[in-house]
Amino acid sequence: AFFAEPILSCGGQIVPPEGFFRDAYAHVRAGGGVCVADEVQVGFGRVGSHFWAFETHGVVPDIVTMGKPIGNGHPLGAVVTTPAIAAAFANGMEYFNTFGGNPVSCTVGLAVLDVIAEEGLQARARRVGAYLTDRLRGLMDRHPLIGDVRGRGLFLGVELVRDRATLEPAADEATEIVERAKERGVLLSTDGPLHNVLKIKPPLVFSEADADRLAGTLDAVLAEVG
Ligand SMILES: Cc1ncc(COP(=O)(O)O)c(C=O)c1O
């Protein structure tokens, strides 16, 4: 099986290139494998343009895993798959889970879906995400430490580098920026294998005013650290 997040989260908020998933899925399926999309971080409208991040790549997975936002804080997870793959579990192994399918959690999950739809949170992620991306990209002129601003909707990463040509990671600076932003009441954290990416995945109720506060705080902190 091929397991992948449609946009890599802990890998550093990396958006795979156009065509990557189409080709990868085709190769895996040609070899008899199944394709699993992990939508735990990127699903439920956060990427703005689509409800599921796999849709941004024009692919349809065989299995989708879901968590975190599915319960908006309530502990809940789900797996969705095709009838054929689901039927393969009916082989006598008797998968059992004490709390699986419990009605309280299912009710929470349904309420979350209602709120996402009624409050237009996917469209909001698209609108505020585009605004925040512009604000963050605008900081690149003044702050050479910012090597890249990437992502989709309200799933963004700001890669910090000491040199835009060599991409030498600015991990210590990233840690310092997170600390100084915290002193100003803005919570951020770092991500990626080199610990030099500021991850930005706020609640979907995030507003343009919140984006202004975040960008303004980063501007001030980068002026001190950069
Ligand atoms: C991308 C991703 N997939 C899967 C998981 C695991 O989800 P759960 O803790 O609901 O099993 C996490 C949790 O951190 C995650 O970030």
Side-chain angles (χ1 to χ4, degrees):
F2 171 59
F3 289 76
E5 293 182 88
I7 303 177
L8 278 64
S9 59
C10 301
Q13 329 304 310
I14 293 171
V15 183
E18 168 69 30
F20 172 83
F21 271 92
R22 237 181 2 253
D23 291 352
Y25 274 31
H27 283 298
V28 169
R29 285 170 172 155
V34 297
C35 300
V36 186
D38 179 340
E39 292 274 345
V40 168
Q41 288 206 26
V42 289
F44 292 87
R46 174 166 295 280
V47 299
S49 58
H50 299 80
F51 199 75
W52 304 112
F54 66 74
E55 295 176 280
T56 66
H57 298 292
V59 295
V60 179
D62 303 297
I63 300 174
V64 181
T65 57
M66 306 165 190
K68 304 188 194 297
I70 193 178
N72 192 32
H74 181 84
L76 180 61
V79 177
V80 171
T81 188
T82 60
I85 292 175
F89 277 88
N91 61 1
M93 72 169 173
E94 294 193 19
Y95 170 75
F96 172 78
N97 181 313
T98 305
F99 297 115
N102 83 79
V104 174
S105 297
C106 292
T107 301
V108 170
L110 288 170
V112 170
L113 289 175
D114 286 344
V115 170
I116 292 172
E118 286 160 15
E119 298 188 10
L121 294 182
Q122 180 185 329
R124 185 186 181 102
R126 182 180 197 152
R127 189 190 78 228
V128 179
Y131 178 78
L132 177 57
T133 302
D134 279 352
R135 290 290 323 259
L136 295 172
R137 292 212 169 117
L139 298 178
M140 292 182 79
D141 297 338
R142 281 196 302 289
H143 302 292
L145 204 62
I146 302 180
D148 192 21
V149 175
R150 57 181 176 246
R152 271 181 174 265
L154 282 174
F155 188 86
L156 300 171
V158 176
E159 181 177 342
L160 302 178
V161 295
R162 293 191 183 138
D163 182 320
R164 284 184 183 167
T166 65
L167 301 182
E168 183 190 351
D172 292 346
E173 294 87 336
T175 303
E176 187 64 26
I177 285 164
V178 167
E179 286 306 312
R180 293 191 184 213
K182 188 162 69 183
E183 285 162 13
R184 289 167 160 85
V186 172
L187 297 180
L188 292 166
S189 58
T190 59
D191 218 341
L194 305 172
H195 312 291
N196 67 326
V197 180
L198 300 175
K199 60 175 169 186
I200 300 173
K201 316 168 188 177
L204 299 191
V205 291
F206 209 66
S207 66
E208 276 89 352
D210 295 325
D212 284 338
R213 178 165 179 208
L214 169 58
T217 301
L218 267 182
D219 194 14
V221 166
L222 279 159
E224 293 171 6
V225 175

mmCIF file of all heavy atoms in Angstrom, residues 5 9-10 38-42 65-68 76-77, ligand 1:
data_model
loop_
_atom_site.group_PDB
_atom_site.id
_atom_site.type_symbol
_atom_site.label_atom_id
_atom_site.label_comp_id
_atom_site.label_asym_id
_atom_site.label_seq_id
_atom_site.Cartn_x
_atom_site.Cartn_y
_atom_site.Cartn_z
ATOM 1 N N GLU A 5 0.102 11.680 2.940
ATOM 2 C CA GLU A 5 -0.744 12.854 3.124
ATOM 3 C C GLU A 5 -0.724 13.626 1.806
ATOM 4 O O GLU A 5 0.358 13.828 1.225
ATOM 5 C CB GLU A 5 -0.165 13.776 4.201
ATOM 6 C CG GLU A 5 -0.156 13.232 5.588
ATOM 7 C CD GLU A 5 0.415 14.289 6.530
ATOM 8 O OE1 GLU A 5 -0.361 15.110 7.027
ATOM 9 O OE2 GLU A 5 1.648 14.293 6.747
ATOM 10 N N SER A 9 2.425 17.288 6.186
ATOM 11 C CA SER A 9 2.327 18.169 7.350
ATOM 12 C C SER A 9 3.648 18.196 8.125
ATOM 13 O O SER A 9 4.443 19.137 7.964
ATOM 14 C CB SER A 9 1.160 17.731 8.233
ATOM 15 O OG SER A 9 1.323 16.394 8.677
ATOM 16 N N CYS A 10 3.898 17.156 8.916
ATOM 17 C CA CYS A 10 5.120 17.155 9.737
ATOM 18 C C CYS A 10 6.376 17.134 8.863
ATOM 19 O O CYS A 10 7.466 17.470 9.327
ATOM 20 C CB CYS A 10 5.109 15.977 10.701
ATOM 21 S SG CYS A 10 3.672 16.019 11.791
ATOM 22 N N ASP A 38 -4.004 10.094 3.834
ATOM 23 C CA ASP A 38 -4.137 10.505 5.231
ATOM 24 C C ASP A 38 -4.648 11.945 5.238
ATOM 25 O O ASP A 38 -3.909 12.883 4.914
ATOM 26 C CB ASP A 38 -2.767 10.388 5.912
ATOM 27 C CG ASP A 38 -2.797 10.810 7.380
ATOM 28 O OD1 ASP A 38 -3.739 11.534 7.773
ATOM 29 O OD2 ASP A 38 -1.871 10.437 8.111
ATOM 30 N N GLU A 39 -5.915 12.105 5.591
ATOM 31 C CA GLU A 39 -6.535 13.445 5.612
ATOM 32 C C GLU A 39 -6.686 13.953 7.039
ATOM 33 O O GLU A 39 -7.477 14.859 7.306
ATOM 34 C CB GLU A 39 -7.897 13.403 4.898
ATOM 35 C CG GLU A 39 -7.815 13.169 3.402
ATOM 36 C CD GLU A 39 -7.613 14.464 2.591
ATOM 37 O OE1 GLU A 39 -7.815 15.550 3.146
ATOM 38 O OE2 GLU A 39 -7.233 14.358 1.406
ATOM 39 N N VAL A 40 -5.938 13.342 7.974
ATOM 40 C CA VAL A 40 -6.093 13.700 9.390
ATOM 41 C C VAL A 40 -5.824 15.190 9.616
ATOM 42 O O VAL A 40 -6.555 15.853 10.346
ATOM 43 C CB VAL A 40 -5.173 12.822 10.257
ATOM 44 C CG1 VAL A 40 -5.093 13.354 11.690
ATOM 45 C CG2 VAL A 40 -5.666 11.382 10.263
ATOM 46 N N GLN A 41 -4.800 15.728 8.992
ATOM 47 C CA GLN A 41 -4.504 17.153 9.184
ATOM 48 C C GLN A 41 -5.112 18.028 8.094
ATOM 49 O O GLN A 41 -5.488 19.163 8.347
ATOM 50 C CB GLN A 41 -2.982 17.386 9.217
ATOM 51 C CG GLN A 41 -2.333 16.874 10.489
ATOM 52 C CD GLN A 41 -1.045 17.617 10.818
ATOM 53 O OE1 GLN A 41 -0.845 18.761 10.434
ATOM 54 N NE2 GLN A 41 -0.171 16.953 11.556
ATOM 55 N N VAL A 42 -5.154 17.511 6.882
ATOM 56 C CA VAL A 42 -5.486 18.386 5.751
ATOM 57 C C VAL A 42 -6.953 18.334 5.312
ATOM 58 O O VAL A 42 -7.366 19.128 4.465
ATOM 59 C CB VAL A 42 -4.564 18.079 4.537
ATOM 60 C CG1 VAL A 42 -3.162 18.561 4.815
ATOM 61 C CG2 VAL A 42 -4.597 16.606 4.193
ATOM 62 N N THR A 65 -8.044 8.072 5.623
ATOM 63 C CA THR A 65 -8.061 8.117 7.091
ATOM 64 C C THR A 65 -8.360 9.544 7.530
ATOM 65 O O THR A 65 -7.894 10.510 6.924
ATOM 66 C CB THR A 65 -6.710 7.664 7.679
ATOM 67 O OG1 THR A 65 -5.666 8.489 7.162
ATOM 68 C CG2 THR A 65 -6.430 6.220 7.326
ATOM 69 N N MET A 66 -9.162 9.661 8.582
ATOM 70 C CA MET A 66 -9.615 10.975 9.072
ATOM 71 C C MET A 66 -9.479 11.016 10.583
ATOM 72 O O MET A 66 -9.670 10.000 11.260
ATOM 73 C CB MET A 66 -11.100 11.170 8.733
ATOM 74 C CG MET A 66 -11.419 10.991 7.280
ATOM 75 S SD MET A 66 -13.196 10.815 7.048
ATOM 76 C CE MET A 66 -13.183 10.327 5.317
ATOM 77 N N GLY A 67 -9.173 12.194 11.101
ATOM 78 C CA GLY A 67 -9.064 12.351 12.557
ATOM 79 C C GLY A 67 -9.196 13.807 12.915
ATOM 80 O O GLY A 67 -9.858 14.570 12.217
ATOM 81 N N LYS A 68 -8.516 14.189 13.982
ATOM 82 C CA LYS A 68 -8.492 15.562 14.507
ATOM 83 C C LYS A 68 -9.739 16.410 14.208
ATOM 84 O O LYS A 68 -10.646 16.432 15.030
ATOM 85 C CB LYS A 68 -7.223 16.275 14.048
ATOM 86 C CG LYS A 68 -5.930 15.527 14.432
ATOM 87 C CD LYS A 68 -4.706 16.348 14.148
ATOM 88 C CE LYS A 68 -3.419 15.556 14.189
ATOM 89 N NZ LYS A 68 -3.101 14.970 15.500
ATOM 90 N N LEU A 76 -12.085 11.404 18.044
ATOM 91 C CA LEU A 76 -12.836 10.707 16.999
ATOM 92 C C LEU A 76 -11.925 10.489 15.799
ATOM 93 O O LEU A 76 -11.103 11.341 15.479
ATOM 94 C CB LEU A 76 -14.047 11.588 16.613
ATOM 95 C CG LEU A 76 -15.007 11.093 15.538
ATOM 96 C CD1 LEU A 76 -15.648 9.776 15.963
ATOM 97 C CD2 LEU A 76 -16.110 12.144 15.308
ATOM 98 N N GLY A 77 -12.055 9.347 15.170
ATOM 99 C CA GLY A 77 -11.322 9.074 13.943
ATOM 100 C C GLY A 77 -12.184 8.192 13.061
ATOM 101 O O GLY A 77 -13.155 7.586 13.524
HETATM 102 C C1 LIG B 1 -1.021 13.441 9.627
HETATM 103 C C2 LIG B 1 -1.460 12.588 10.778
HETATM 104 N N1 LIG B 1 -1.943 11.359 10.533
HETATM 105 C C3 LIG B 1 -2.366 10.565 11.540
HETATM 106 C C4 LIG B 1 -2.308 10.969 12.848
HETATM 107 C C5 LIG B 1 -2.808 10.062 13.921
HETATM 108 O O1 LIG B 1 -4.122 10.403 14.252
HETATM 109 P P1 LIG B 1 -4.830 9.776 15.537
HETATM 110 O O2 LIG B 1 -4.046 10.282 16.712
HETATM 111 O O3 LIG B 1 -6.230 10.307 15.494
HETATM 112 O O4 LIG B 1 -4.739 8.297 15.385
HETATM 113 C C6 LIG B 1 -1.803 12.212 13.158
HETATM 114 C C7 LIG B 1 -1.719 12.631 14.572
HETATM 115 O O5 LIG B 1 -0.931 13.385 15.016
HETATM 116 C C8 LIG B 1 -1.360 13.063 12.093
HETATM 117 O O6 LIG B 1 -0.896 14.289 12.329
#
